[in-house]
Amino acid sequence: MIPARQESMPDADTDVGIPSFDGEHYQSQIQPAPTLSVRSDWSAQVLGKKQTPCQDNLQRKPHMCNHHNHAAACSAEQTQDYRLPTEVVPSRYKLRLTPGLKVTDDDSEEIYKFTGHQKVNVDILESTDRIVVNAKNLDIHEAYVLSKGSKRRFNGTVVLDDKNELAIVTFDRKLAAGKWTFCCRFTGTHNTKLKGFYLSVWEDNLGGKHQIFTTQFESTDARQAFPCWDEPAFKAEFDVQLVVPQKLVALSNGRDVKTESLGNGWKIVTYQRTPKMSTYLVAFCVGEFESSEPVFTNGKELRIWSIPGKNHLKSFAIKCAKFGVEFYEDFFGRPYFGGDKIDMIAIPDFASGAMENTGLITYRDTALLVDEDKASYGEKARVAEVVLHELDHQWNGNEVTMDWWDGLGLNESFATIMAYVAMNSMFPEWHIYNEFGLDRAQAFALDSLKTTHPVFAPINHPSEIAQRFDAITYEKGGSLLFQCIQFIGYETFRHGLRIYMNRHALANTRVTDLWDALEEACKLEGKNIPVRSFMDAWMNTAGHPIVSVEEISGKPGAIRLSQSQFLFLGDDAATAPLWPVPVHIRYKSANGTIKEDKFLFCDLEHEVDLGENFDWLVVNASGPGFYRVAYGASLLSKLTGNISETLEVIERFNLVNDSWAAVRARLMSATDYLDLVKTFSNENDPNVWAIIGSSLRALYGLTEGAARKVFKEAIIRQLVGPVFNQLGWQPQPGESVHTLQLRGQLANLLGTIGSDEAVREKARDLFEQWKADRASVDPNVVPALIAILAHTGNRTRFD
Ligand code: BES
Ligand code: ZN
């Protein structure tokens, strides 16, 4: 699915179904029973390779590194000025904030300020005369330390280093190593930039304006709300108090344990102490909020909050949340760590899709609120994905946290794939792993540019952190974990995660800790798989390979594989790296049995002798490998001769996606591509169609005049028309979500770039019908109606 944090990708608003995977997937899936010849042990082959990438590319210090993909990053100037010294370590913040104080500034503009007061228990590990914390856009009025038992007080002098977002508090004497309390008073301004402690304004039906004061701290904006050690490795407990008007709802990470009236229309709310956690996960939300009825699960109270009047849009997300908490508690073998409540709240102005603050998960409206009965599949799938993604973070990220932002993939790659694992369990009928193909396609697309980067690479400056929330971290990292799951087996993967979670709970990790835990699980299960070097090779290398497969003439049953880096503009890829490619071949032998072969391919070239002739053969069977495949002409025509027999959904998806990428890389002609696509005349999967559709749109954009007319008639309408006509406009009882989606997608293609007059006319009728009675048209086709009307519209219609 396409996350809100980025906009590019095919116009595919799709979905669909891989068989649920497990460790035995390779062995058990094929009909009739396969004779499985596992050519060799995966592990020996990984270990045997010299191409192990730079292992220490995550180090903070500059270092020498020969791996060509790292060269740019490694040689970049590295400045550590923005990093906090480590001799003073916080353990508990006692923080009181008073948000929403209206003041008038010099230009008579109304602005909102907050004041704060905090006392932080710190351990001074080495005697020092300064305490350095992060602070940004804060006025710190007073800073001092108290010795143990508050017997002595020393005042500090605050100097702000705006460039590095630091407040340096110096004392006129050395503070001895030991326990101290660091205290300060400060003031800040609520901004409207959706970061830090910001102001969100919404309008009611009568035009009345209402304020919400809410937070978004990831990655480095807690420092805009209170002076703090704003790096993920400085975990601490938080005792939060909010001082707010009596009539407002005020939420934070923990449950409110005490509310005291101040008598003047204001109240102080005290929240349950949080577990040890990083500052970027702290959250506050203050405003006029309403919640649905709570749902209870395993001792936790789950609620969904929003501005008033939206309780009818909460049933679907609450089901997903309940499922998610139960699923992850079981999956990771650990109860939710954050306390006894989880609030989820829709914020009208929100920068990304959602944010996993411990116990107070914030969302943009559309990622949480949905009318269960009237929504399209796509809208519901988005809510399920986001909710399950953020809930996964409560374990991956919140309880066990990367120790620096270069390990962001530990959070985001993980949550990407775990959301799918959980969705697959909650909605098996969605066949969601087929839809994951679209995520992978998005990763492939970005990773095919020269400017791509490894999933794990150094962060040289905080300004680089935001760039890492991209399709490489999310979708490529998630795809590589999916490849890993298939490689080591689902149960082993889970076993390893349990080791990892239990070993590092409430602490911080480097990515190697995860690979080591997975490798340990493999060992415990008698599998000799060097997970660490395998994963490092993929995660620390920019780009991905294309594996070319050719028959060897004069040797029936033998094929030659070769690998090289795939780039859209690949002329100067002189020193391409080699990847340990998990190859899974499925083929139909001449006597009609389906067989498999599985091996790790680490060289430039490799010959495979199947020992018998075959009818057809598919490489990257079941599709989890993060590589593209280019079949030689004879192999391709064997596959496309009877696509519905030879290829599973995800394999068809990969074939089309790889071929369309090959066109863009000038490895295949557009004519050959269109010939290939024509063999998909019986295709009924919306994900496969998403790729076909986006390629048709791209090609359409390249045509004009007479050529465009031919393209519309002879290609688009000929290809799409028959499939759409079989479906018709009217959904049939019991249709799968895939068929419902497909109808909208195909109508969209025909009515826009296909210029199909009949479809356009029907779209206009249905749109009028929908305006009169929303329930009269299937929600899955409404986006197509709007697309078609917009495509053929004018100013009046737009208005
Ligand atoms: N941790 C992120 C939110 C975030 C994104 C913070 C960018 C700072 C910068 C959150 O877990 C997330 O990944 N949200 C996604 C939704 C998800 C389903 C892909 C988003 O916001 O798009
Ligand atoms: Zn995330």
Side-chain angles (χ1 to χ4, degrees), residues 125-159:
L125 305 177
E126 265 171 59
S127 158
T128 178
D129 60 0
R130 54 170 216 167
I131 294 180
V132 183
V133 293
N134 291 112
K136 182 178 175 185
N137 299 333
L138 294 177
D139 288 322
I140 303 177
H141 310 301
E142 183 184 31
Y144 56 92
V145 286
L146 299 174
S147 66
K148 204 171 169 205
S150 304
K151 292 200 185 81
R152 302 174 69 194
R153 166 177 170 147
F154 301 109
N155 290 334
T157 310
V158 183
V159 174

mmCIF file of all heavy atoms in Angstrom, residues 125-159:
data_model
loop_
_atom_site.group_PDB
_atom_site.id
_atom_site.type_symbol
_atom_site.label_atom_id
_atom_site.label_comp_id
_atom_site.label_asym_id
_atom_site.label_seq_id
_atom_site.Cartn_x
_atom_site.Cartn_y
_atom_site.Cartn_z
ATOM 1 N N LEU A 125 28.158 10.477 35.322
ATOM 2 C CA LEU A 125 29.086 9.332 35.334
ATOM 3 C C LEU A 125 30.524 9.784 35.523
ATOM 4 O O LEU A 125 31.346 9.042 36.045
ATOM 5 C CB LEU A 125 28.944 8.541 34.027
ATOM 6 C CG LEU A 125 27.512 8.076 33.706
ATOM 7 C CD1 LEU A 125 27.467 7.362 32.362
ATOM 8 C CD2 LEU A 125 26.964 7.165 34.806
ATOM 9 N N GLU A 126 30.815 10.993 35.052
ATOM 10 C CA GLU A 126 32.166 11.550 35.213
ATOM 11 C C GLU A 126 31.978 12.974 35.663
ATOM 12 O O GLU A 126 31.195 13.703 35.047
ATOM 13 C CB GLU A 126 32.850 11.628 33.845
ATOM 14 C CG GLU A 126 33.732 10.488 33.474
ATOM 15 C CD GLU A 126 34.122 10.644 32.002
ATOM 16 O OE1 GLU A 126 34.720 11.682 31.650
ATOM 17 O OE2 GLU A 126 33.770 9.748 31.215
ATOM 18 N N SER A 127 32.697 13.360 36.681
ATOM 19 C CA SER A 127 32.594 14.715 37.204
ATOM 20 C C SER A 127 32.673 15.743 36.058
ATOM 21 O O SER A 127 33.506 15.637 35.171
ATOM 22 C CB SER A 127 33.743 14.891 38.192
ATOM 23 O OG SER A 127 34.018 16.240 38.354
ATOM 24 N N THR A 128 31.774 16.733 36.093
ATOM 25 C CA THR A 128 31.720 17.693 34.978
ATOM 26 C C THR A 128 31.191 19.037 35.466
ATOM 27 O O THR A 128 30.479 19.089 36.479
ATOM 28 C CB THR A 128 30.804 17.159 33.850
ATOM 29 O OG1 THR A 128 30.738 18.137 32.819
ATOM 30 C CG2 THR A 128 29.400 16.883 34.353
ATOM 31 N N ASP A 129 31.520 20.107 34.749
ATOM 32 C CA ASP A 129 30.950 21.414 35.114
ATOM 33 C C ASP A 129 29.904 21.856 34.093
ATOM 34 O O ASP A 129 29.538 23.014 34.042
ATOM 35 C CB ASP A 129 32.052 22.473 35.273
ATOM 36 C CG ASP A 129 32.845 22.658 33.984
ATOM 37 O OD1 ASP A 129 32.528 21.959 32.995
ATOM 38 O OD2 ASP A 129 33.772 23.478 33.980
ATOM 39 N N ARG A 130 29.437 20.907 33.247
ATOM 40 C CA ARG A 130 28.378 21.315 32.311
ATOM 41 C C ARG A 130 27.416 20.162 32.022
ATOM 42 O O ARG A 130 27.787 18.982 32.064
ATOM 43 C CB ARG A 130 28.954 21.850 31.009
ATOM 44 C CG ARG A 130 29.918 20.905 30.351
ATOM 45 C CD ARG A 130 30.281 21.338 28.961
ATOM 46 N NE ARG A 130 30.428 20.107 28.170
ATOM 47 C CZ ARG A 130 30.506 20.050 26.856
ATOM 48 N NH1 ARG A 130 30.428 21.148 26.147
ATOM 49 N NH2 ARG A 130 30.639 18.911 26.243
ATOM 50 N N ILE A 131 26.206 20.553 31.751
ATOM 51 C CA ILE A 131 25.196 19.575 31.326
ATOM 52 C C ILE A 131 24.688 20.051 29.971
ATOM 53 O O ILE A 131 24.293 21.212 29.823
ATOM 54 C CB ILE A 131 24.049 19.470 32.350
ATOM 55 C CG1 ILE A 131 24.590 18.876 33.663
ATOM 56 C CG2 ILE A 131 22.900 18.641 31.800
ATOM 57 C CD1 ILE A 131 23.567 18.710 34.760
ATOM 58 N N VAL A 132 24.743 19.161 29.003
ATOM 59 C CA VAL A 132 24.315 19.532 27.647
ATOM 60 C C VAL A 132 23.051 18.769 27.310
ATOM 61 O O VAL A 132 23.011 17.533 27.419
ATOM 62 C CB VAL A 132 25.425 19.198 26.620
ATOM 63 C CG1 VAL A 132 25.012 19.656 25.222
ATOM 64 C CG2 VAL A 132 26.741 19.855 27.026
ATOM 65 N N VAL A 133 22.026 19.496 26.925
ATOM 66 C CA VAL A 133 20.766 18.856 26.506
ATOM 67 C C VAL A 133 20.362 19.444 25.163
ATOM 68 O O VAL A 133 20.901 20.444 24.731
ATOM 69 C CB VAL A 133 19.625 19.093 27.533
ATOM 70 C CG1 VAL A 133 19.914 18.396 28.838
ATOM 71 C CG2 VAL A 133 19.385 20.583 27.761
ATOM 72 N N ASN A 134 19.378 18.811 24.534
ATOM 73 C CA ASN A 134 18.830 19.376 23.299
ATOM 74 C C ASN A 134 17.726 20.373 23.644
ATOM 75 O O ASN A 134 16.932 20.134 24.563
ATOM 76 C CB ASN A 134 18.220 18.276 22.421
ATOM 77 C CG ASN A 134 19.272 17.362 21.847
ATOM 78 O OD1 ASN A 134 19.354 16.187 22.194
ATOM 79 N ND2 ASN A 134 20.089 17.904 20.965
ATOM 80 N N ALA A 135 17.685 21.446 22.900
ATOM 81 C CA ALA A 135 16.588 22.415 23.039
ATOM 82 C C ALA A 135 16.489 23.166 21.721
ATOM 83 O O ALA A 135 17.502 23.435 21.079
ATOM 84 C CB ALA A 135 16.848 23.379 24.178
ATOM 85 N N LYS A 136 15.269 23.446 21.320
ATOM 86 C CA LYS A 136 15.072 24.173 20.056
ATOM 87 C C LYS A 136 13.855 25.066 20.225
ATOM 88 O O LYS A 136 12.797 24.588 20.668
ATOM 89 C CB LYS A 136 14.860 23.161 18.927
ATOM 90 C CG LYS A 136 14.695 23.813 17.567
ATOM 91 C CD LYS A 136 14.542 22.748 16.492
ATOM 92 C CE LYS A 136 14.255 23.384 15.151
ATOM 93 N NZ LYS A 136 13.985 22.384 14.128
ATOM 94 N N ASN A 137 13.975 26.313 19.842
ATOM 95 C CA ASN A 137 12.880 27.284 19.952
ATOM 96 C C ASN A 137 12.300 27.359 21.361
ATOM 97 O O ASN A 137 11.092 27.520 21.529
ATOM 98 C CB ASN A 137 11.765 26.963 18.956
ATOM 99 C CG ASN A 137 12.255 27.018 17.524
ATOM 100 O OD1 ASN A 137 13.217 27.737 17.223
ATOM 101 N ND2 ASN A 137 11.624 26.265 16.636
ATOM 102 N N LEU A 138 13.133 27.192 22.366
ATOM 103 C CA LEU A 138 12.672 27.316 23.753
ATOM 104 C C LEU A 138 13.437 28.448 24.423
ATOM 105 O O LEU A 138 14.611 28.657 24.133
ATOM 106 C CB LEU A 138 12.951 26.023 24.537
ATOM 107 C CG LEU A 138 12.196 24.755 24.138
ATOM 108 C CD1 LEU A 138 12.682 23.584 24.978
ATOM 109 C CD2 LEU A 138 10.686 24.949 24.312
ATOM 110 N N ASP A 139 12.746 29.164 25.298
ATOM 111 C CA ASP A 139 13.448 30.105 26.176
ATOM 112 C C ASP A 139 13.619 29.402 27.511
ATOM 113 O O ASP A 139 12.624 29.038 28.155
ATOM 114 C CB ASP A 139 12.603 31.361 26.400
ATOM 115 C CG ASP A 139 12.556 32.207 25.142
ATOM 116 O OD1 ASP A 139 13.600 32.290 24.460
ATOM 117 O OD2 ASP A 139 11.474 32.749 24.831
ATOM 118 N N ILE A 140 14.844 29.215 27.900
ATOM 119 C CA ILE A 140 15.080 28.561 29.195
ATOM 120 C C ILE A 140 15.386 29.663 30.199
ATOM 121 O O ILE A 140 16.391 30.356 30.081
ATOM 122 C CB ILE A 140 16.217 27.539 29.097
ATOM 123 C CG1 ILE A 140 15.873 26.513 28.004
ATOM 124 C CG2 ILE A 140 16.448 26.853 30.436
ATOM 125 C CD1 ILE A 140 16.939 25.482 27.745
ATOM 126 N N HIS A 141 14.486 29.836 31.143
ATOM 127 C CA HIS A 141 14.621 30.973 32.061
ATOM 128 C C HIS A 141 15.551 30.666 33.206
ATOM 129 O O HIS A 141 16.182 31.551 33.770
ATOM 130 C CB HIS A 141 13.254 31.348 32.640
ATOM 131 C CG HIS A 141 12.212 31.497 31.585
ATOM 132 N ND1 HIS A 141 12.324 32.399 30.568
ATOM 133 C CD2 HIS A 141 11.060 30.805 31.358
ATOM 134 C CE1 HIS A 141 11.264 32.286 29.769
ATOM 135 N NE2 HIS A 141 10.497 31.317 30.224
ATOM 136 N N GLU A 142 15.617 29.419 33.559
ATOM 137 C CA GLU A 142 16.331 29.072 34.784
ATOM 138 C C GLU A 142 16.770 27.622 34.660
ATOM 139 O O GLU A 142 16.001 26.790 34.182
ATOM 140 C CB GLU A 142 15.328 29.213 35.948
ATOM 141 C CG GLU A 142 15.892 28.974 37.295
ATOM 142 C CD GLU A 142 14.817 29.047 38.385
ATOM 143 O OE1 GLU A 142 13.636 28.714 38.132
ATOM 144 O OE2 GLU A 142 15.176 29.422 39.491
ATOM 145 N N ALA A 143 18.001 27.340 35.054
ATOM 146 C CA ALA A 143 18.464 25.944 35.071
ATOM 147 C C ALA A 143 19.392 25.770 36.260
ATOM 148 O O ALA A 143 20.252 26.616 36.508
ATOM 149 C CB ALA A 143 19.190 25.614 33.774
ATOM 150 N N TYR A 144 19.197 24.710 36.978
ATOM 151 C CA TYR A 144 20.037 24.459 38.159
ATOM 152 C C TYR A 144 20.070 22.970 38.442
ATOM 153 O O TYR A 144 19.270 22.202 37.884
ATOM 154 C CB TYR A 144 19.520 25.231 39.383
ATOM 155 C CG TYR A 144 18.075 24.961 39.739
ATOM 156 C CD1 TYR A 144 17.720 23.967 40.660
ATOM 157 C CD2 TYR A 144 17.039 25.704 39.148
ATOM 158 C CE1 TYR A 144 16.398 23.722 40.978
ATOM 159 C CE2 TYR A 144 15.711 25.454 39.464
ATOM 160 C CZ TYR A 144 15.398 24.469 40.380
ATOM 161 O OH TYR A 144 14.079 24.213 40.680
ATOM 162 N N VAL A 145 20.981 22.574 39.313
ATOM 163 C CA VAL A 145 20.991 21.176 39.750
ATOM 164 C C VAL A 145 20.801 21.112 41.252
ATOM 165 O O VAL A 145 21.172 22.042 41.976
ATOM 166 C CB VAL A 145 22.305 20.443 39.386
ATOM 167 C CG1 VAL A 145 22.374 20.125 37.909
ATOM 168 C CG2 VAL A 145 23.521 21.206 39.842
ATOM 169 N N LEU A 146 20.214 20.010 41.675
ATOM 170 C CA LEU A 146 20.087 19.728 43.100
ATOM 171 C C LEU A 146 20.900 18.485 43.384
ATOM 172 O O LEU A 146 20.858 17.518 42.621
ATOM 173 C CB LEU A 146 18.623 19.469 43.467
ATOM 174 C CG LEU A 146 17.630 20.613 43.218
ATOM 175 C CD1 LEU A 146 16.210 20.142 43.482
ATOM 176 C CD2 LEU A 146 17.973 21.818 44.105
ATOM 177 N N SER A 147 21.637 18.511 44.480
ATOM 178 C CA SER A 147 22.397 17.319 44.840
ATOM 179 C C SER A 147 21.446 16.286 45.417
ATOM 180 O O SER A 147 20.271 16.571 45.666
ATOM 181 C CB SER A 147 23.482 17.674 45.849
ATOM 182 O OG SER A 147 22.844 18.075 47.047
ATOM 183 N N LYS A 148 21.961 15.095 45.647
ATOM 184 C CA LYS A 148 21.133 14.001 46.151
ATOM 185 C C LYS A 148 20.393 14.442 47.418
ATOM 186 O O LYS A 148 20.991 15.077 48.295
ATOM 187 C CB LYS A 148 22.033 12.802 46.449
ATOM 188 C CG LYS A 148 21.279 11.511 46.412
ATOM 189 C CD LYS A 148 22.199 10.318 46.492
ATOM 190 C CE LYS A 148 21.367 9.091 46.713
ATOM 191 N NZ LYS A 148 22.112 8.036 47.369
ATOM 192 N N GLY A 149 19.112 14.165 47.507
ATOM 193 C CA GLY A 149 18.327 14.573 48.659
ATOM 194 C C GLY A 149 18.031 16.071 48.656
ATOM 195 O O GLY A 149 17.595 16.622 49.663
ATOM 196 N N SER A 150 18.298 16.748 47.549
ATOM 197 C CA SER A 150 18.041 18.181 47.372
ATOM 198 C C SER A 150 18.717 19.041 48.432
ATOM 199 O O SER A 150 18.234 20.107 48.798
ATOM 200 C CB SER A 150 16.524 18.464 47.374
ATOM 201 O OG SER A 150 15.897 17.711 46.399
ATOM 202 N N LYS A 151 19.849 18.578 48.950
ATOM 203 C CA LYS A 151 20.489 19.334 50.033
ATOM 204 C C LYS A 151 21.137 20.608 49.518
ATOM 205 O O LYS A 151 21.164 21.620 50.187
ATOM 206 C CB LYS A 151 21.536 18.454 50.727
ATOM 207 C CG LYS A 151 20.912 17.305 51.502
ATOM 208 C CD LYS A 151 21.876 16.760 52.539
ATOM 209 C CE LYS A 151 21.265 15.534 53.209
ATOM 210 N NZ LYS A 151 21.418 14.311 52.408
ATOM 211 N N ARG A 152 21.707 20.528 48.325
ATOM 212 C CA ARG A 152 22.410 21.703 47.809
ATOM 213 C C ARG A 152 21.927 22.023 46.411
ATOM 214 O O ARG A 152 21.571 21.136 45.644
ATOM 215 C CB ARG A 152 23.922 21.433 47.799
ATOM 216 C CG ARG A 152 24.436 21.091 49.181
ATOM 217 C CD ARG A 152 25.879 20.692 49.133
ATOM 218 N NE ARG A 152 26.742 21.836 48.812
ATOM 219 C CZ ARG A 152 28.019 21.704 48.454
ATOM 220 N NH1 ARG A 152 28.568 20.517 48.360
ATOM 221 N NH2 ARG A 152 28.751 22.762 48.197
ATOM 222 N N ARG A 153 21.921 23.316 46.106
ATOM 223 C CA ARG A 153 21.479 23.762 44.784
ATOM 224 C C ARG A 153 22.601 24.573 44.131
ATOM 225 O O ARG A 153 23.202 25.430 44.776
ATOM 226 C CB ARG A 153 20.226 24.624 44.948
ATOM 227 C CG ARG A 153 19.871 25.413 43.703
ATOM 228 C CD ARG A 153 18.580 26.201 43.891
ATOM 229 N NE ARG A 153 18.427 27.122 42.758
ATOM 230 C CZ ARG A 153 17.265 27.480 42.236
ATOM 231 N NH1 ARG A 153 16.137 27.010 42.726
ATOM 232 N NH2 ARG A 153 17.219 28.325 41.221
ATOM 233 N N PHE A 154 22.867 24.268 42.870
ATOM 234 C CA PHE A 154 23.844 25.062 42.116
ATOM 235 C C PHE A 154 23.169 25.589 40.866
ATOM 236 O O PHE A 154 22.600 24.821 40.088
ATOM 237 C CB PHE A 154 25.049 24.195 41.706
ATOM 238 C CG PHE A 154 25.761 23.590 42.890
ATOM 239 C CD1 PHE A 154 25.680 22.228 43.139
ATOM 240 C CD2 PHE A 154 26.505 24.385 43.756
ATOM 241 C CE1 PHE A 154 26.321 21.661 44.226
ATOM 242 C CE2 PHE A 154 27.151 23.816 44.853
ATOM 243 C CZ PHE A 154 27.050 22.456 45.098
ATOM 244 N N ASN A 155 23.256 26.882 40.690
ATOM 245 C CA ASN A 155 22.642 27.476 39.503
ATOM 246 C C ASN A 155 23.561 27.358 38.302
ATOM 247 O O ASN A 155 24.778 27.466 38.435
ATOM 248 C CB ASN A 155 22.320 28.943 39.761
ATOM 249 C CG ASN A 155 21.180 29.066 40.750
ATOM 250 O OD1 ASN A 155 20.359 28.156 40.869
ATOM 251 N ND2 ASN A 155 21.141 30.167 41.468
ATOM 252 N N GLY A 156 22.962 27.145 37.161
ATOM 253 C CA GLY A 156 23.746 27.049 35.932
ATOM 254 C C GLY A 156 23.503 28.250 35.025
ATOM 255 O O GLY A 156 22.518 28.963 35.183
ATOM 256 N N THR A 157 24.407 28.438 34.094
ATOM 257 C CA THR A 157 24.245 29.488 33.079
ATOM 258 C C THR A 157 23.937 28.794 31.757
ATOM 259 O O THR A 157 24.641 27.860 31.364
ATOM 260 C CB THR A 157 25.562 30.274 32.916
ATOM 261 O OG1 THR A 157 25.991 30.650 34.217
ATOM 262 C CG2 THR A 157 25.356 31.493 32.049
ATOM 263 N N VAL A 158 22.875 29.247 31.100
ATOM 264 C CA VAL A 158 22.440 28.564 29.874
ATOM 265 C C VAL A 158 22.946 29.308 28.640
ATOM 266 O O VAL A 158 22.745 30.512 28.516
ATOM 267 C CB VAL A 158 20.893 28.503 29.804
ATOM 268 C CG1 VAL A 158 20.454 27.737 28.566
ATOM 269 C CG2 VAL A 158 20.327 27.884 31.066
ATOM 270 N N VAL A 159 23.595 28.573 27.758
ATOM 271 C CA VAL A 159 23.959 29.131 26.458
ATOM 272 C C VAL A 159 23.322 28.243 25.389
ATOM 273 O O VAL A 159 23.431 27.017 25.458
ATOM 274 C CB VAL A 159 25.495 29.151 26.274
ATOM 275 C CG1 VAL A 159 25.851 29.597 24.859
ATOM 276 C CG2 VAL A 159 26.129 30.070 27.300
#
